Amino acid sequence: TMSTSLIRCATAAALVATCDGYMPSAAPSRAAAVRPAAASVFMDETVFERALAGELEEEGFENPFMSEVGWADYLDKNAKSSYNMNQRPSLADDGYYTASIVDNPLDVVSDWLGAMKGYVTNPVATAFPTISNDPTGARSYPKGSNEVSARTIKPKEKDFDPKKRIVGIPGFNIFGTPSSKSGSFIENFFGN
Protein backbone atom coordinates (compact mmCIF):
# COMPACT_ATOMS: atom_id res chain seq x y z
CA THR A 1 0.00 0.00 0.00
CA MET A 2 3.01 2.24 0.36
CA SER A 3 3.60 1.88 -3.33
CA THR A 4 -0.05 2.69 -4.06
CA SER A 5 0.10 6.01 -2.21
CA LEU A 6 3.45 6.77 -3.84
CA ILE A 7 1.92 6.14 -7.27
CA ARG A 8 -1.02 8.42 -6.42
CA CYS A 9 1.31 11.24 -5.32
CA ALA A 10 3.39 10.88 -8.46
CA THR A 11 0.26 10.90 -10.63
CA ALA A 12 -1.04 14.05 -8.90
CA ALA A 13 2.33 15.75 -9.32
CA ALA A 14 2.39 14.85 -13.00
CA LEU A 15 -1.12 16.26 -13.50
CA VAL A 16 -0.21 19.50 -11.75
CA ALA A 17 3.01 19.82 -13.75
CA THR A 18 1.21 19.44 -17.09
CA CYS A 19 -1.62 21.84 -16.24
CA ASP A 20 -1.49 25.10 -18.23
CA GLY A 21 -2.02 27.21 -15.15
CA TYR A 22 1.21 26.03 -13.55
CA MET A 23 3.45 26.16 -16.63
CA PRO A 24 5.20 29.32 -17.74
CA SER A 25 4.14 30.54 -21.15
CA ALA A 26 6.51 30.42 -24.10
CA ALA A 27 5.48 33.87 -25.40
CA PRO A 28 6.66 37.02 -23.61
CA SER A 29 4.18 38.48 -21.22
CA ARG A 30 2.14 41.48 -22.39
CA ALA A 31 2.05 42.91 -18.87
CA ALA A 32 5.78 43.55 -19.00
CA ALA A 33 5.32 45.86 -22.00
CA VAL A 34 2.73 48.03 -20.21
CA ARG A 35 4.12 51.18 -18.63
CA PRO A 36 3.11 52.05 -15.07
CA ALA A 37 0.14 54.41 -14.77
CA ALA A 38 1.92 56.86 -12.49
CA ALA A 39 5.46 57.64 -11.56
CA SER A 40 6.80 56.54 -8.22
CA VAL A 41 6.01 58.77 -5.29
CA PHE A 42 9.01 60.45 -3.72
CA MET A 43 9.20 62.29 -0.43
CA ASP A 44 9.81 66.01 -0.40
CA GLU A 45 13.13 66.44 1.36
CA THR A 46 12.63 70.17 1.89
CA VAL A 47 10.80 69.45 5.15
CA PHE A 48 13.89 67.73 6.54
CA GLU A 49 16.23 70.36 5.12
CA ARG A 50 14.25 73.19 6.71
CA ALA A 51 13.91 71.32 10.00
CA LEU A 52 17.68 70.78 10.18
CA ALA A 53 18.30 74.42 9.26
CA GLY A 54 15.76 75.62 11.86
CA GLU A 55 13.56 77.34 9.28
CA LEU A 56 10.27 75.47 9.82
CA GLU A 57 9.02 77.96 12.38
CA GLU A 58 9.60 80.86 9.99
CA GLU A 59 7.68 79.04 7.28
CA GLY A 60 4.87 78.44 9.76
CA PHE A 61 4.63 82.18 10.46
CA GLU A 62 4.54 82.95 6.73
CA ASN A 63 1.93 80.24 5.98
CA PRO A 64 -0.24 79.67 9.07
CA PHE A 65 -2.57 77.34 7.19
CA MET A 66 0.16 74.67 7.00
CA SER A 67 -0.58 73.43 10.54
CA GLU A 68 -3.77 73.11 12.52
CA VAL A 69 -2.36 75.13 15.42
CA GLY A 70 -1.25 77.89 13.06
CA TRP A 71 -4.63 77.95 11.35
CA ALA A 72 -6.44 78.03 14.72
CA ASP A 73 -4.27 80.98 15.79
CA TYR A 74 -4.92 82.76 12.51
CA LEU A 75 -8.70 82.31 12.78
CA ASP A 76 -8.69 83.40 16.41
CA LYS A 77 -6.77 86.61 15.74
CA ASN A 78 -8.14 87.60 12.34
CA ALA A 79 -11.67 86.15 12.20
CA LYS A 80 -12.43 85.97 15.93
CA SER A 81 -13.58 82.38 15.41
CA SER A 82 -12.74 78.89 16.57
CA TYR A 83 -11.44 76.04 14.43
CA ASN A 84 -12.61 72.44 14.15
CA MET A 85 -15.09 72.61 17.05
CA ASN A 86 -12.27 73.48 19.45
CA GLN A 87 -12.30 76.48 21.71
CA ARG A 88 -10.55 79.61 20.49
CA PRO A 89 -6.87 79.61 21.53
CA SER A 90 -7.26 82.93 23.34
CA LEU A 91 -10.30 81.70 25.32
CA ALA A 92 -9.54 77.98 25.80
CA ASP A 93 -9.98 76.45 29.25
CA ASP A 94 -6.86 74.30 28.90
CA GLY A 95 -4.71 76.99 27.28
CA TYR A 96 -5.20 75.29 23.87
CA TYR A 97 -1.52 74.36 23.54
CA THR A 98 -1.36 71.09 25.43
CA ALA A 99 1.68 68.85 25.67
CA SER A 100 2.33 66.42 22.84
CA ILE A 101 3.86 62.97 22.91
CA VAL A 102 7.38 64.39 22.45
CA ASP A 103 7.11 66.69 25.50
CA ASN A 104 7.92 65.95 29.12
CA PRO A 105 5.84 62.93 30.25
CA LEU A 106 4.79 64.79 33.40
CA ASP A 107 3.37 67.61 31.25
CA VAL A 108 1.53 65.07 29.09
CA VAL A 109 -0.01 63.37 32.14
CA SER A 110 -0.96 66.66 33.81
CA ASP A 111 -2.61 67.96 30.63
CA TRP A 112 -4.46 64.66 30.25
CA LEU A 113 -5.65 64.80 33.86
CA GLY A 114 -6.85 68.36 33.28
CA ALA A 115 -8.80 67.21 30.22
CA MET A 116 -10.33 64.32 32.19
CA LYS A 117 -11.32 66.76 34.96
CA GLY A 118 -13.09 68.89 32.35
CA TYR A 119 -14.83 65.82 30.98
CA VAL A 120 -16.04 64.69 34.41
CA THR A 121 -17.25 68.22 35.18
CA ASN A 122 -19.39 68.46 32.02
CA PRO A 123 -19.39 65.20 30.02
CA VAL A 124 -22.14 66.15 27.55
CA ALA A 125 -20.53 69.44 26.50
CA THR A 126 -17.18 67.68 26.14
CA ALA A 127 -18.47 64.66 24.24
CA PHE A 128 -20.81 66.62 21.97
CA PRO A 129 -19.31 70.07 21.40
CA THR A 130 -21.49 72.56 19.57
CA ILE A 131 -21.06 76.22 18.85
CA SER A 132 -24.62 77.27 19.62
CA ASN A 133 -24.78 75.42 22.98
CA ASP A 134 -21.21 76.04 24.13
CA PRO A 135 -21.35 76.88 27.86
CA THR A 136 -17.91 78.54 27.80
CA GLY A 137 -18.55 80.82 24.83
CA ALA A 138 -15.08 79.97 23.50
CA ARG A 139 -16.40 78.36 20.30
CA SER A 140 -17.69 80.80 17.73
CA TYR A 141 -18.34 81.44 14.07
CA PRO A 142 -16.41 84.27 12.41
CA LYS A 143 -17.69 87.74 13.26
CA GLY A 144 -20.86 88.53 11.35
CA SER A 145 -21.40 84.90 10.32
CA ASN A 146 -23.86 82.24 11.29
CA GLU A 147 -23.85 78.48 10.73
CA VAL A 148 -24.88 78.68 7.07
CA SER A 149 -22.75 81.64 6.01
CA ALA A 150 -19.64 80.16 7.71
CA ARG A 151 -19.81 77.00 5.60
CA THR A 152 -17.54 76.48 2.62
CA ILE A 153 -20.24 74.61 0.70
CA LYS A 154 -23.52 76.39 1.23
CA PRO A 155 -26.80 74.44 1.25
CA LYS A 156 -29.32 75.04 -1.51
CA GLU A 157 -32.08 77.54 -0.92
CA LYS A 158 -35.27 75.49 -0.68
CA ASP A 159 -38.77 76.77 -1.35
CA PHE A 160 -41.20 74.70 0.67
CA ASP A 161 -44.30 76.07 -1.07
CA PRO A 162 -46.59 73.01 -1.50
CA LYS A 163 -47.96 74.41 -4.77
CA LYS A 164 -44.51 74.08 -6.33
CA ARG A 165 -44.01 70.44 -5.32
CA ILE A 166 -45.41 67.33 -6.93
CA VAL A 167 -46.74 64.88 -4.36
CA GLY A 168 -48.78 61.70 -4.39
CA ILE A 169 -47.09 60.10 -7.39
CA PRO A 170 -47.47 56.33 -7.27
CA GLY A 171 -44.19 54.47 -7.28
CA PHE A 172 -42.39 51.51 -5.81
CA ASN A 173 -41.04 51.07 -2.31
CA ILE A 174 -37.64 49.76 -1.32
CA PHE A 175 -38.77 46.13 -1.70
CA GLY A 176 -40.01 46.63 -5.27
CA THR A 177 -43.70 46.43 -4.51
CA PRO A 178 -46.13 49.10 -5.71
CA SER A 179 -46.87 51.85 -3.24
CA SER A 180 -50.18 52.07 -1.45
CA LYS A 181 -51.07 55.11 -3.59
CA SER A 182 -50.79 53.28 -6.89
CA GLY A 183 -54.25 51.69 -6.72
CA SER A 184 -55.05 48.17 -7.82
CA PHE A 185 -52.56 46.37 -10.06
CA ILE A 186 -55.41 44.95 -12.19
CA GLU A 187 -56.97 48.40 -12.69
CA ASN A 188 -53.64 49.89 -13.72
CA PHE A 189 -52.70 46.96 -15.98
CA PHE A 190 -56.00 46.65 -17.86
CA GLY A 191 -56.84 50.37 -17.74
CA ASN A 192 -60.19 50.03 -15.96
Side-chain angles (χ1 to χ4, degrees):
T1 65
M2 177 67 148
S3 61
T4 308
S5 61
L6 189 59
I7 291 171
R8 287 182 182 165
C9 285
T11 306
L15 286 173
V16 167
T18 58
C19 181
D20 275 349
Y22 295 103
M23 293 182 69
S25 60
S29 173
R30 295 182 118 229
V34 177
R35 296 177 58 193
S40 298
V41 177
F42 294 101
M43 185 176 195
D44 183 12
E45 291 87 10
T46 58
V47 172
F48 291 118
E49 291 171 0
R50 290 186 178 178
L52 293 174
E55 299 169 353
L56 277 180
E57 202 167 315
E58 295 168 11
E59 185 180 5
F61 288 129
E62 293 170 9
N63 304 314
F65 53 85
M66 293 182 77
S67 74
E68 290 204 5
V69 173
W71 186 238
D73 278 336
Y74 179 84
L75 288 176
D76 184 30
K77 292 175 186 157
N78 297 322
K80 308 288 187 246
S81 71
S82 58
Y83 170 68
N84 201 20
M85 294 306 294
N86 293 316
Q87 295 176 337
R88 289 175 52 189
S90 61
L91 303 174
D93 295 334
D94 59 359
Y96 196 83
Y97 308 103
T98 56
S100 69
I101 194 72
V102 296
D103 290 328
N104 183 348
L106 294 175
D107 293 338
V108 174
V109 171
S110 66
D111 285 349
W112 180 78
L113 286 173
M116 288 297 107
K117 180 184 166 200
Y119 182 77
V120 169
T121 305
N122 196 350
V124 175
T126 308
F128 305 104
T130 63
I131 291 179
S132 57
N133 295 329
D134 180 29
T136 64
R139 292 180 184 90
S140 62
Y141 297 112
K143 287 288 181 196
S145 297
N146 58 21
E147 181 182 358
V148 175
S149 62
R151 292 182 183 182
T152 303
I153 300 173
K154 311 277 191 272
K156 294 179 182 177
E157 293 289 329
K158 296 180 182 177
D159 187 1
F160 291 104
D161 184 10
K163 296 176 185 171
K164 295 183 179 179
R165 293 186 292 149
I166 301 172
V167 294
I169 301 173
F172 291 89
N173 67 14
I174 193 168
F175 302 105
T177 58
S179 72
S180 60
K181 298 176 182 174
S182 62
S184 168
F185 170 73
I186 296 172
E187 291 173 1
N188 292 336
F189 187 75
F190 292 109
N192 290 341

